[in-house]
Amino acid sequence: MHFSTPISQIPNIGPSYQKKLNKLKIKTVGDLLFHFPIRYEDFSKKNSVSSIYHKGKYVVIGEITEISSGKTVHRRFSFTQVKIKDSTGEIPVIWFNQPYLAKSFKEGEKLLLSGNVDYSKEGLQFINPFYERLSRGLSFDDKIVPVYPETEGVSSKWLRFIIKPLLSNIESRIEETLPSEVVKKQKLFSLPQALREIHFPTSFASVKKAQERISFERIFLLQLSLLKEKINLAEKGGIPIFTDIEKIQDLVSNLPFTLTSGQKKAAWQILKDMEKKIPMNRLLEGDVGSGKTIVAVIAALVAIKAGYQVAFMAPTEVLARQHFDEVAKLLWRFKIDVGLLTGKKDKLRSKKLKGDILEISREKLIEKSKKGDIDFLVGTHALIQEKVRFKNLALVVLDEQHRFGVEQRAKLCVKKDSAIPHLLSMTATPIPRTLTLTIYGDLSLSVITEMPKERKKIITKLISPKKRKDVYEFIKKELRAGRQAFFICPRIEEGEEKENSPWKNLISVDKETEKLQKEIFPEFRVKSLHGKMKSTEKEKVMKDFKNKKTDILVSTSVVEVGIDIKNASVMVIEGVEMFGLAQLHQFRGRVGRGEFQSYCFLFTTSTSEKIRKRLKALLTSRSGFELAEKDLEIRGPGDFLGKRQWGFPDFTMNALRDRALIEKAREIAKKTLSEDPYLKKTPSLQKRVDSLRQKLHLE
Ligand code: ADP
Ligand code: MG
């Protein structure tokens, strides 16, 4: 049996278990062996029955002597009762509300019990203890017993029973994946040893070593694949584009503002990258409102004037539309054809149209893109569809890149019919520096550190329910002065939530709009916006808000990223506990984008300490960078990065912060590649790196 052997060939795994395991994405022996316990039960100190003479926690091994079951006096609970006997005595055990136990136990069967003993009518007795049958994958010598993540129908016991035989003489059946001198030099467990210890540990110290080994391997593979990707890009070659300084000057000198030095520096770095034969892979970090869009537009103008096409992808339809309007306006003087592809109400602004904006069918737009008749295509996820093609795509811009999955990012860059385009990703929610090396390797980074000069600090306040009225009065003053306000609600409509649902008492867009219009702000114009509205409606609502035909916009998180309304000065967020820190910071960034002093008011009914801590971070930090670091600290790398996307176990996610470990892994990966760039000497390593690379392509 090898790593790649399908689970259907493992004895004792029938079709129904295969289905259950498939749901956990376990398809092969390898997947099963890499399905790790989340914790361990400590059975190392076992007690004899005679040593139990007052209440407490105990571990006992014994034989079942009597089994009975019934209902409690008040007929409320069913119970199963057994007696357990070891060589020193006998003790009663009771489980409530697990009636099936009575049927599944047999007299004479050996059980291991771990749990609370307390006084009862029967004297001292175990109450609802954790139990194990010794016949099933567990022996008398097991001291530390693995507990796997709880999943419907796949118990820890069953997993141990299946995994144990797979580990016997595992050395002869699986290959070491790390270069042997690395294992030796780093004093790591071998892979078979690590797998055995992680599933059936001999001590807690060895669990730790096993986890270290697994983490090291994952991180080493990640570094290898990042480095290989770099070599790969360099070999494939990109499209060198030379900078037309005059065009840039023409664009920049006609802007209503002057660029900050951070913007200039970033633009310069990007243009230098694009002149190279190697495809650019650069991340532009800059806080909300720092002016990243114009930097991307400068790069786009250069690429287009050199005769190429540019694709610009945004995470939401609302944002894509805004970019389209902005870009079409900015680039119009340069006679550039700009298209908007969202799948709904697609648009075109073409030089042949004398600047008018034309609605156009998606098919026509795609056709034009393919023929090279569109220079600049703005869009949503719709851009990565198979059908969308380009004639000579040379630059891809990903706005708010953290909102895209790794695969989505990759797809846009590997459109079959074009050479590898330069990639510019942009984000206001950076991965904290402690993690960048791990995740990006040494991806090129440009950072805009300053804000445009005239910006004022946004005043952020957490408002207690008593002060709600005062806040409303304050907002009225702002509105009367001609400003506008956003109200963010965590959900669209009231539904039939269950009693204990966290959504139960949260304010909805529908209700809030009605309340604000009728009761609080009758003299102002209140409109709502959410993702489930039709595109035409959404577009109209946004347009009216932009043109000051509406004073208050009540919305869900659809306005989270990018939306740019300079006249808005108030952001109210209801149910703040439902949003992440980065998200809240993005909401806040919707105001304070013009010359006006702006305010962000936070409402919550939650009293949770963790949430308070999170909000405090928002109140005290000004920049998204600082917040990202704090968020990472509070949530840990697993939640911060999203575990699913990485597929790493928790202990490896935590190891991602270990700078020394990462650097070590990276150094060794570099050395490995310098000696054997194509990993020809280690085909199994090559295979694993390739499969990881496909997942992380061009991250
Ligand atoms: P973000 O970095 O959040 O994407 P945007 O690119 O949307 O920010 O820019 C925010 C606003 O600031 C826009 O209205 C833009 O026109 C304006 N802006 C960009 N650069 C400058 C600057 N150097 N000075 C003043 N305003 C600027
Ligand atoms: Mg933006």
Side-chain angles (χ1 to χ4, degrees):
M1 229 168 262
H2 296 274
F3 270 11
S4 55
T5 310
I7 49 172
S8 56
Q9 289 181 29
I10 302 174
N12 293 316
I13 302 189
S16 101
Y17 267 109
Q18 280 168 38
K19 236 197 219 145
K20 288 175 191 165
L21 290 175
N22 280 341
K23 263 200 199 140
L24 294 172
K25 297 212 168 84
I26 298 175
K27 301 206 160 108
T28 62
V29 168
D31 295 339
L32 201 51
L33 291 178
F34 277 87
H35 182 68
F36 299 133
I38 41 162
R39 62 185 180 87
Y40 300 85
E41 284 273 343
D42 185 0
F43 291 158
S44 55
K45 292 188 192 71
K46 296 183 184 93
N47 310 96
S48 60
V49 170
S50 64
S51 70
I52 301 176
Y53 44 84
H54 45 74
K55 65 181 201 174
K57 272 190 169 278
Y58 296 94
V59 177
V60 156
I61 290 178
E63 213 169 85
I64 300 178
T65 55
E66 275 178 52
I67 304 169
S68 61
S69 62
K71 292 233 155 123
T72 51
V73 192
H74 307 294
R75 302 197 140 256
R76 304 237 323 267
F77 302 121
S78 67
F79 66 86
T80 299
Q81 201 163 25
V82 303
K83 285 211 169 110
I84 290 286
K85 187 179 132 202
D86 73 0
S87 58
T88 68
E90 210 171 43
I91 186 166
V93 184
I94 195 161
W95 286 275
F96 290 105
N97 289 333
Q98 300 182 54
Y100 50 87
L101 286 181
K103 284 201 195 87
S104 79
F105 287 145
K106 286 187 193 68
E107 279 187 26
E109 196 172 20
K110 280 233 160 66
L111 285 191
L112 187 151
L113 299 172
S114 161
N116 278 321
V117 170
D118 208 343
Y119 297 101
S120 71
K121 271 196 314 216
E122 324 272 322
L124 281 165
Q125 105 175 327
F126 269 105
I127 298 166
N128 287 330
F130 174 90
Y131 74 94
E132 282 280 345
R133 292 189 167 82
L134 284 178
S135 53
R136 278 225 162 179
L138 200 70
S139 78
F140 286 104
D141 306 326
D142 288 320
K143 294 191 172 82
I144 301 167
V145 174
V147 180
Y148 295 86
E150 281 292 329
T151 320
E152 198 83 30
V154 183
S155 69
S156 285
K157 282 175 215 181
W158 185 83
L159 278 168
R160 291 199 296 266
F161 164 67
I162 294 294
I163 291 174
K164 191 147 201 176
L166 296 177
L167 289 168
S168 67
N169 39 45
I170 181 173
E171 283 85 353
S172 59
R173 287 179 292 110
I174 65 161
E175 262 179 84
E176 175 57 62
T177 39
L178 290 174
S180 56
E181 70 262 29
V182 173
V183 176
K184 229 184 269 157
K185 222 171 124 202
Q186 296 304 118
K187 299 201 175 64
L188 296 172
F189 275 175
S190 69
L191 184 57
Q193 200 178 4
L195 288 175
R196 184 172 310 123
E197 286 294 337
I198 211 158
H199 290 288
F200 295 94
T202 47
S203 71
F204 279 104
S206 73
V207 171
K208 201 160 162 259
K209 276 209 82 174
Q211 292 179 339
E212 264 167 29
R213 146 79 211 210
I214 304 280
S215 296
F216 187 88
E217 172 171 321
R218 292 285 168 108
I219 291 166
F220 173 72
L221 284 171
L222 181 63
Q223 295 303 326
L224 259 185
S225 58
L226 288 169
L227 289 166
K228 262 202 100 183
E229 188 60 49
K230 226 176 158 183
I231 298 177
N232 210 39
L233 278 181
E235 277 174 354
K236 280 221 176 96
I239 308 159
I241 301 171
F242 287 93
T243 306
D244 183 342
I245 300 276
E246 268 170 39
K247 283 276 172 331
I248 299 177
Q249 273 163 353
D250 190 357
L251 174 67
V252 170
S253 62
N254 281 295
L255 291 173
F257 48 77
T258 45
L259 294 180
T260 62
S261 62
Q263 285 173 311
K264 282 186 201 153
K265 197 171 148 208
W268 183 250
Q269 290 171 329
I270 292 163
L271 295 171
K272 281 288 138 207
D273 273 4
M274 296 196 330
E275 287 184 356
K276 292 185 192 142
K277 283 201 204 91
I278 303 165
M280 166 172 76
N281 183 15
R282 184 171 283 274
L283 178 66
L284 174 57
E285 290 183 356
D287 209 346
V288 193
S290 61
K292 297 181 290 292
T293 319
I294 186 65
V295 175
V297 170
I298 291 171
L301 175 67
V302 167
I304 292 166
K305 281 299 156 191
Y308 298 101
Q309 289 172 294
V310 174
F312 193 132
M313 189 153 90
T316 66
E317 192 193 325
V318 177
L319 184 54
R321 271 176 207 287
Q322 175 185 296
H323 281 324
F324 171 77
D325 289 340
E326 187 72 23
V327 166
K329 214 162 56 197
L330 276 172
L331 296 183
W332 170 239
R333 282 184 309 106
F334 299 92
K335 301 276 174 273
I336 284 173
D337 285 358
V338 186
L340 173 68
L341 185 87
T342 63
K344 289 165 204 152
K345 288 198 71 188
D346 293 326
K347 289 189 174 163
L348 175 73
R349 185 175 194 174
S350 162
K351 49 192 177 244
K352 292 176 209 99
L353 291 168
K354 301 205 173 59
D356 292 337
I357 290 178
L358 178 79
E359 262 179 49
I360 181 174
S361 74
R362 187 194 318 191
E363 288 68 34
K364 267 213 184 113
L365 198 58
I366 289 175
E367 191 54 39
K368 277 176 177 293
S369 164
K370 200 167 162 185
K371 284 204 301 215
D373 285 352
I374 281 180
D375 308 306
F376 195 128
L377 191 56
V378 183
T380 55
H381 299 83
L383 286 180
I384 56 180
Q385 300 164 87
E386 191 64 22
K387 304 187 278 229
V388 179
R389 289 290 160 82
F390 297 89
K391 188 166 173 232
N392 50 9
L393 181 66
L395 173 66
V396 170
V397 181
L398 267 185
D399 195 18
E400 310 291 348
Q401 64 98 34
H402 61 282
R403 295 281 302 262
F404 291 98
V406 179
E407 281 139 55
Q408 292 168 324
R409 285 174 234 175
K411 269 192 196 146
L412 196 57
C413 289
V414 289
K415 287 278 172 195
K416 284 186 208 90
D417 35 7
S418 55
I420 293 195
H422 298 291
L423 173 65
L424 173 64
S425 324
M426 308 199 287
T427 185
T429 314
I431 305 277
R433 297 195 200 300
T434 36
L435 290 178
T436 39
L437 181 66
T438 315
I439 289 158
Y440 295 127
D442 38 26
L443 159 118
S444 339
L445 194 65
S446 293
V447 186
I448 304 180
T449 45
E450 77 265 66
M451 286 292 196
K453 269 203 275 345
E454 69 275 22
R455 295 284 160 79
K456 298 191 177 69
K457 185 176 170 185
I458 300 164
I459 297 172
T460 308
K461 286 197 166 139
L462 182 61
I463 308 294
S464 69
K466 279 190 297 200
K467 291 276 166 66
R468 190 177 270 275
K469 277 218 174 98
D470 301 347
V471 169
Y472 288 153
E473 284 312 309
F474 178 85
I475 296 172
K476 278 183 196 164
K477 272 192 215 140
E478 284 288 303
L479 298 178
R480 278 183 205 127
R483 301 289 79 72
Q484 289 163 289
F486 287 100
F487 277 71
I488 304 295
C489 305
R491 57 183 185 153
I492 301 172
E493 55 198 8
E494 315 275 296
E496 294 276 299
E497 271 85 18
K498 293 207 181 84
E499 203 42 58
N500 56 359
S501 157
W503 300 92
K504 179 76 189 169
N505 295 313
L506 290 175
I507 294 167
S508 71
V509 168
D510 287 354
K511 271 257 170 80
E512 181 76 354
T513 310
E514 200 184 313
K515 183 183 112 188
L516 292 179
Q517 181 70 83
K518 284 197 181 138
E519 295 167 26
I520 322 274
F521 301 106
E523 75 228 75
F524 297 102
R525 294 155 300 183
V526 185
K527 282 272 169 64
S528 61
L529 178 76
H530 57 75
K532 285 199 180 148
M533 283 161 57
K534 283 205 197 102
S535 291
T536 38
E537 278 177 78
K538 267 191 258 181
E539 204 188 343
K540 178 157 187 339
V541 170
M542 277 317 292
K543 204 175 248 162
D544 285 352
F545 195 60
K546 186 135 203 167
N547 297 334
K548 298 191 206 172
K549 284 191 188 154
T550 312
D551 304 296
I552 295 176
L553 186 65
V554 185
S555 164
T556 52
S557 58
V558 290
V559 299
E560 178 184 334
V561 287
I563 299 305
D564 188 40
I565 311 272
K566 288 200 174 59
N567 188 52
S569 67
V570 177
M571 167 59 67
V572 176
I573 307 170
E574 298 282 355
V576 268
E577 68 275 16
M578 302 312 288
F579 302 104
L581 261 187
Q583 226 181 344
L584 291 169
H585 181 63
Q586 285 275 5
F587 285 138
R588 175 166 62 180
R590 295 312 112 224
V591 296
R593 297 171 82 84
E595 77 235 54
F596 307 110
Q597 174 60 54
S598 296
Y599 306 86
C600 177
F601 300 116
L602 311 170
F603 286 104
T604 179
T605 48
S606 164
T607 49
S608 138
E609 197 44 47
K610 201 167 173 186
I611 288 166
R612 298 261 145 197
K613 206 168 149 195
R614 256 184 28 206
L615 292 179
K616 211 168 148 218
L618 191 71
L619 298 183
T620 53
S621 14
R622 218 191 136 179
S623 86
F625 296 76
E626 221 180 293
L627 266 178
E629 296 280 0
K630 280 193 188 148
D631 205 10
L632 171 67
E633 209 174 282
I634 297 168
R635 289 197 294 165
D639 288 335
F640 185 87
L641 292 170
K643 276 177 237 176
R644 281 238 191 91
Q645 187 162 333
W646 292 84
F648 287 172
D650 280 357
F651 55 80
T652 303
M653 288 310 291
N654 285 325
L656 291 180
R657 280 168 110 169
D658 186 342
R659 187 91 193 183
L661 179 84
I662 309 278
E663 267 160 16
K664 191 97 234 161
R666 187 169 179 80
E667 189 189 302
I668 297 170
K670 268 190 180 149
K671 191 161 165 279
T672 308
L673 281 178
S674 73
E675 285 159 11
D676 183 13
Y678 301 99
L679 302 175
K680 285 204 171 110
K681 288 183 227 155
T682 45
S684 74
L685 188 61
Q686 186 196 356
K687 229 162 122 194
R688 295 189 63 188
V689 169
D690 279 348
S691 79
L692 193 64
R693 249 183 59 215
Q694 268 163 17
K695 269 210 235 156
L696 300 174
H697 189 83
L698 285 174
E699 164 75 14

